[in-house]
Amino acid sequence: MKASFRWKLMASYLLLVLVLGGGLYGYLSYEEENAIITSTREQLFDQLRVATLMASKEIHDLKQDAPVLTDTLSKAVRARVTVIDPGGTVVADSEVSGGELPTLENHNGRPEVIQGRKNGVGSSVRYSATLHMDMMYVAAPFGAGNMVRLALPLAELKQAQLKLQRSLGAAMAVAVIVSLLLSYLLSNVNTRNLRMLAARASRIGRGEFAGRIPITSDDELGRLAQVINEMTDRIEQQLARISTEKNQLDAILKGMGEGVIVTDQHGTVTLVNPAFCSMLGTGTEVVGRQLVEISRHPDLHEACREVLTHQHEKHQEIALAEGRVTMVHWVPLNYGEELRGTVAVFHDISALKRAEKIRRDFVANVSHELRTPVTVIKGYAETLLNGTVSEDAERRDRFLGIIYNHADRLTVLVRDLLALSELESGEVNLQPQTVQLEGAIRNALLLVEQRGEEKGVTLEFAGVSGTGSVTVDRGRLDQVLINLLDNAIKYSSTGDKVAVSAADEGKMVRVSVKDEGIGIPAKDLPRLFERFYRVDAARSRDCGGTGLGLSIVKHIVQAHGGSVSVESTPGAGSTFSFTLPKPGAKL
């Protein structure tokens, strides 16, 4: 018998009811379970936040304080409380006695612990091997890698779910399948754009800013895509600005002649520039190290501690290796009322100290050089004025000769001082021209020939090898040659020989004056070209020297772009050399 349309319609109604009922059953069962679990989990999370705060404040010694805290918290929140150390060992558990704690497994593999260490808070619902029942767990870190965990049994939740399932009945079963299927289909359709947005946000998080999300609708997802695109533009601009500012700061620090160092409040170096590393002779890998590890200078450490302690500026002068002196300016680095560290700027004042010492030495040397002739002139002049030698013409003439010689020495000294001052000022008016060295050398030898004959010293021109011409101020060249030849004659003995030669040396020509005199000790060679420096002061004054000749030679040669040098062996003679540029040479 074929079923009538009515039965078919009733059957359709019944099917519809079954479908709707099943859907309602699945929906209510699912939502009720989620609501119960979510509510319980949120309650546990709130309790967990309180527990972590209490653990951070109350637990100072993990082994001693944790058991007391777990018992107190367990009674307060009515849940199982567990404290786990960084190694995964259970230190205290409100449901496990102290004697049984060593038998528990390592808890670092528990899902809630893994998630809590990774994300800051974790949760899981699983079977407890310790209490042999289903439990809901939540865990969060505190202190130096420790974890606190709360757990609640799910027995009551299971009972509530069972009552709901019985009340809804079997008619809800089909609705569960349909609801799941529809949820699956709709979720795929509705989350397609969301998955695209999430992927784009993930690329932004990795620093990939190329490309933008296409906006295909004007609904909430379309507006969200627009917001993400605008956010990407702002982040990209902000990162570009930060990068530019960082590059500018790096360039400024690298270009500074002053050394800069920044430390945190514990004295750990957070920033340095190359000038600081050069001053203290450290490597570039100093960031993250303590200041005491970088430099052992006690004044430096004391100043850093003082600024960090008292939070005030400080200036100090410290001596570094190789005779370098720096002025250090310390400033506390504050953020509001909070001390974040210190900033120190190192000013190299070595040149100022050397200039001050040179000035003092210069004044002392000039005073000393002037005192002797002035004293002699004054003494002999007073004798003449007293008339004690007026009847003795020979003695009077001898006194006048002495006065004349010392006055001449003063004139030479003043002349050399004026010449040296002009050269050191850098304002000397040079008139460079192409000069044939052979003619200049022969002319200088001719000018000092008489002095050589008087001393019994042979003067010799050893020839010019190579170009034979230089670019130089002719008058200054004569001054250099005469000074060097005069010195060679002064410190040579009768029968010795002084030879002058010249040879090419790249873009320069080297002129050498070699003598067979007494020579110069090695310890005196580095200071030989300093003002007023004499190897044998008494002999130099007896020979009429002012102690400025070699210093004048050095400055004249350097003003032409050349250099001076000396080689000497005591008892075997000395060789003074200087270089001058060839015509057309670019220095």
Side-chain angles (χ1 to χ4, degrees), residues 111-152:
E112 65 277 4
V113 175
I114 295 174
Q115 187 179 2
R117 293 191 187 280
K118 181 179 180 182
N119 301 327
V121 64
S123 66
S124 66
V125 177
R126 59 179 177 79
Y127 180 79
S128 171
T130 305
L131 301 181
H132 307 291
M133 64 177 68
D134 289 333
M135 304 282 288
M136 175 180 288
Y137 296 91
V138 292
F142 76 94
N146 303 311
M147 298 290 293
V148 61
R149 186 183 69 175
L150 304 183
L152 196 65

Side-chain angles (χ1 to χ4, degrees), residues 240-454:
R241 185 178 64 82
I242 292 173
S243 177
T244 301
E245 291 177 353
K246 182 180 181 300
N247 291 335
Q248 291 175 348
L249 177 61
D250 290 342
I252 291 172
L253 289 176
K254 289 179 181 178
M256 289 179 63
E258 295 81 6
V260 178
I261 181 173
V262 181
T263 71
D264 62 13
Q265 64 271 32
H266 304 296
T268 302
V269 177
T270 59
L271 177 68
V272 295
N273 70 338
F276 171 83
C277 298
S278 175
M279 285 183 182
L280 270 73
T282 65
T284 56
E285 302 297 327
V286 298
V287 175
R289 297 168 58 187
Q290 289 286 325
L291 182 60
V292 68
E293 299 177 22
I294 299 173
S295 171
R296 300 292 181 180
H297 203 293
D299 293 341
L300 202 61
H301 308 150
E302 180 62 29
C304 183
R305 285 194 296 268
E306 182 179 338
V307 174
L308 289 173
T309 303
H310 302 290
Q311 301 186 29
H312 60 70
E313 294 187 26
K314 180 177 177 63
H315 293 81
Q316 67 173 160
E317 185 177 302
I318 62 173
L320 301 178
E322 301 178 356
R324 301 181 70 178
V325 182
T326 61
M327 176 63 70
V328 187
H329 182 197
W330 292 88
V331 179
L333 185 61
N334 294 317
Y335 184 77
E337 298 296 328
E338 181 183 0
L339 178 66
R340 293 293 182 88
T342 62
V343 178
V345 180
F346 291 70
H347 303 272
D348 191 344
I349 58 174
S350 303
L352 294 176
K353 290 293 183 181
R354 285 194 297 270
E356 184 179 349
K357 183 178 183 301
I358 290 172
R359 180 185 59 80
R360 290 196 304 266
D361 293 345
F362 179 76
V363 172
N365 287 327
V366 169
S367 300
H368 181 73
E369 293 295 331
L370 291 175
R371 183 171 61 246
T372 300
V374 169
T375 301
V376 172
I377 291 172
K378 181 180 179 182
Y380 281 98
E382 288 177 349
T383 302
L384 292 173
L385 290 173
N386 289 336
T388 55
V389 295
S390 59
E391 302 299 330
D392 190 343
E394 183 180 350
R395 287 185 64 193
R396 183 188 63 215
D397 292 342
R398 184 166 60 86
F399 284 7
L400 290 174
I402 292 173
I403 292 174
Y404 178 81
N405 289 335
H406 281 279
D408 186 57
R409 180 181 173 187
L410 283 176
T411 302
V412 173
L413 178 61
V414 172
R415 183 195 63 201
D416 286 351
L417 283 173
L418 290 175
L420 186 61
S421 175
E422 181 184 11
L423 290 167
E424 289 184 340
S425 69
E427 299 176 356
V428 58
N429 183 21
L430 297 177
Q431 297 178 350
Q433 57 181 303
T434 300
V435 176
Q436 294 296 324
L437 279 175
E438 182 175 353
I441 293 173
R442 289 188 181 279
N443 182 66
L445 289 171
L446 184 62
L447 292 175
V448 299
E449 182 178 7
Q450 183 179 355
R451 275 177 257 175
E453 291 176 353
E454 293 174 354

Side-chain angles (χ1 to χ4, degrees), residues 549-571:
L550 290 179
S551 182
I552 292 174
V553 167
K554 181 187 73 171
H555 284 85
I556 291 175
V557 172
Q558 290 178 346
H560 287 84
S563 61
V564 294
S565 61
V566 59
E567 297 177 359
S568 182
T569 302

